[in-house]
């Protein structure tokens, strides 16, 4: 049996997503930019999907731009505003690299967080001057699950630099939170389908009307000129099916997964001496369990867990394999010896009680084994 606790990296496709995508991969294969019947059928599917996605994000259908995933949505937001109006871009130190590296590439300003992972509002205030064109603050963090006070950030941006555009990366928030409500003040919102039961390589950026944004890709002018390239029709339809399934079951899933996550975290905190939790539990999305084990190296732990059939990650998926402490934990002031022993177990809609039982046994056993061999 495989115990899959890496939902923050990606999630299994929901069955209703596969069912919705299949006809678009077979009989309805048209290019939606054409004008004949086969093309029109594909175009109709995309416009129906656009309405579903818009509704879930509190936007108008004409404000949704389909992208090739979360990374592309983030890049379009950051670089697109910069290209359109120029000025300084600002983001937090705990953003996903899709935002953080985009901001750094443009010479942007990076705002720190406190020990619980929440943006330092005084530092944000200092970063906001009249030159700022874009502020990007994620809704929920991918490594520690902490949710940022976006309404407070929006109020500060409005009062200090009203011309600046507020972007939020809601990629990790969407599975758990009502993004329409929490990101109501953001002009740009990124999501990615594969984090909530949809296919990989499909995402969306909400671009509220009137937001200055230049395209990154030039070509056929699809998506109102903001994202050229033939649409991934099946992917977009799959994302909409995942949105519907996620939103309609969200409340029940959150309730169930919070209980599973709490049992997972509390059991490991009790069973493993020295185990600490990263980020404040009360600020986290339901699926996140981030722990550190002093005296243990994440990579060695992941190898033993993998051998025991437990799929987990150290920090973010793209950082695993590298022996550098996670930029998120470092920004939170977690000392390197703890950050290097971090483990992210992330639950999802398909997680079960058995997953928790197996993970607790496997993690406790692996940590004991590693500490035993270290002391020999
Ligand atoms: C917070 C966050 N933003 C952006 C991304 C990138 O999304 P994608 O994998 O669709 O490119 C991820 C995925 O790891 C993420 O967790």
């Amino acid at each position: 049996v495989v115990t899959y606790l890496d939902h923050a990296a990606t999630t299994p496709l929901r069955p209703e997503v596969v069912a919705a995508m299949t006809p678009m991969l077979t009989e309805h294969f048209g290019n939606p930019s054409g004008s004949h019947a086969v093309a029109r059928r594909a175009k109709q599917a995309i416009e129906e999907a656009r309405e579903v996605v818009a509704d879930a994000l509190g936007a108008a259908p004409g404000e949704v731009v389909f992208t090739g995933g979360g990374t592309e949505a983030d890049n379009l937001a950051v670089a697109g505003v910069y290209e359109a109006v120029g000025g300084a871009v600002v983001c937090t130190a705990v953003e996903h690299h899709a935002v953080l590296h985009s901001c750094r590439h443009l010479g942007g300003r990076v705002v720190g967080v406190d020990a619980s992972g929440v943006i330092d509002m005084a530092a944000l205030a200092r970063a906001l001057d009249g030159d700022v064109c874009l502020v990007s603050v994620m809704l929920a963090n991918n490594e520690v699950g902490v949710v940022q006070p976006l309404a407070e950030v929006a109020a500060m941006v409005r009062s200090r630099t009203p011309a600046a555009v507020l972007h939020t990366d809601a990629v990790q928030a969407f599975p758990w939170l009502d993004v329409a409500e929490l990101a109501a003040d953001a002009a740009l919102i990124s999501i990615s389908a594969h984090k909530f039961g949809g296919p990989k390589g499909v995402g969306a950026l909400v671009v509220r009307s009137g937001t200055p944004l230049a395209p990154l890709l030039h070509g056929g002018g699809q998506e109102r000129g903001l994202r050229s390239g033939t649409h991934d029709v099946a992917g977009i339809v799959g994302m909409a099916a995942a949105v519907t399934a996620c939103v309609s079951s969200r409340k029940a899933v959150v309730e169930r997964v919070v209980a599973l996550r709490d049992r997972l975290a509390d059991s490991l905190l009790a069973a493993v001496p020295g185990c600490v939790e990263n980020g404040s539990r009360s600020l986290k999305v339901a699926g996140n369990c981030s722990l550190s084990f002093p005296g243990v190296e994440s990579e060695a732990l992941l190898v033993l867990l993998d051998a025991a059939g437990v799929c987990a990650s150290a920090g973010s998926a793209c950082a695993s394999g590298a022996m550098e402490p996670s930029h998120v934990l470092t920004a939170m002031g977690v000392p390197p010896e703890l950050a290097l022993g971090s483990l992210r177990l992330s639950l999802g809609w398909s997680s079960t009680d058995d997953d928790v039982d197996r993970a607790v046994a496997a993690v406790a056993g692996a940590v004991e084994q590693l500490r035993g061999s270290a002391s020999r």
Side-chain angles (χ1 to χ4, degrees):
V1 274
V2 169
T3 303
Y4 187 79
L5 288 171
D6 205 13
H7 288 81
T10 197
T11 57
L13 285 187
R14 290 174 179 265
E16 53 272 62
V17 170
V18 178
M21 290 176 75
T22 304
M24 311 316 297
L25 292 165
T26 51
E27 70 253 49
H28 304 311
F29 61 86
N31 182 333
S33 298
S35 56
H36 49 64
V38 175
R40 286 198 309 273
R41 180 65 186 80
K43 165 97 172 144
Q44 181 199 340
I46 283 190
E47 295 317 319
E48 285 169 12
R50 196 184 302 284
E51 286 182 21
V52 169
V53 172
D55 190 47
L57 296 175
E63 294 176 322
V64 171
V65 174
F66 290 123
T67 67
T71 298
E72 192 194 309
D74 285 345
N75 273 264
L76 177 56
V78 175
V81 171
Y82 179 85
E83 169 99 9
V85 289
V89 296
V90 175
C91 74
T92 80
V94 296
E95 297 299 311
H96 187 273
H97 286 141
V99 168
L100 188 59
H101 290 179
S102 293
C103 281
R104 289 226 171 102
H105 180 70
L106 300 172
R109 303 170 188 172
V110 177
V111 174
V113 298
D114 64 20
S116 61
V118 175
I119 184 169
D120 176 344
M121 293 299 288
L124 177 64
R126 289 193 296 277
L128 297 181
D129 59 26
D131 192 35
V132 173
C133 65
L134 172 113
V135 178
S136 184
V137 175
M138 70 200 320
L139 195 46
N141 183 264
N142 43 302
E143 294 190 29
V144 293
V146 169
V147 178
Q148 299 294 340
L150 202 61
E152 229 180 286
V153 168
M156 182 178 280
V157 171
R158 262 196 308 270
S159 75
R160 293 192 168 243
T161 175
V165 173
L166 179 62
H167 166 244
T168 193
D169 174 338
V171 167
Q172 293 288 343
F174 191 82
W176 313 109
L177 304 173
D178 183 349
V179 172
E181 185 188 326
L182 293 171
D185 296 321
L188 300 169
I189 308 169
S190 303
I191 62 162
S192 174
H194 74 104
K195 306 294 187 178
F196 52 92
K200 293 163 187 59
V202 194
L205 182 68
V206 165
V207 183
R208 297 220 201 267
S209 77
T211 306
L213 195 75
L216 302 184
L217 302 181
H218 303 275
Q222 288 91 342
E223 296 295 289
R224 306 190 311 289
L226 288 172
R227 204 285 184 178
S228 282
T230 301
H231 293 92
D232 175 358
V233 182
I236 290 167
V237 167
M239 174 160 67
V243 163
T244 300
C246 174
V247 171
S248 63
S249 62
R250 203 190 259 143
K251 193 165 171 288
V253 169
V254 166
E255 250 169 56
R256 199 175 65 78
V257 171
V258 160
L260 291 176
R261 187 276 312 277
D262 286 350
R263 189 163 73 78
L264 175 62
D266 291 338
S267 303
L268 285 169
L269 286 164
V272 183
C275 172
V276 292
E277 188 164 9
N278 299 311
S280 300
R281 180 102 55 101
S282 61
L283 301 173
K284 284 170 182 264
V285 291
N288 180 276
C289 175
S290 173
L291 304 169
S292 282
F293 303 94
V296 167
E297 283 184 355
S298 305
E299 298 306 314
L301 182 55
L302 290 180
V303 169
L304 288 185
L305 290 179
D306 187 30
V310 175
C311 304
S313 125
S316 63
C318 28
S320 53
M323 281 306 290
E324 293 212 337
S326 117
H327 72 284
V328 173
L329 298 179
T330 302
M332 289 164 61
V334 175
E337 62 275 18
L338 274 179
L340 287 170
S342 73
L343 176 70
R344 182 186 71 183
L345 299 162
S346 51
L347 299 84
W349 58 274
S350 56
S351 298
T352 64
D353 264 308
D354 284 350
D355 291 333
V356 172
D357 293 340
R358 285 194 296 265
V360 169
V363 174
V367 171
E368 197 178 305
Q369 188 180 333
L370 291 169
R371 283 178 175 166
S373 57
S375 65
R376 266 200 299 275

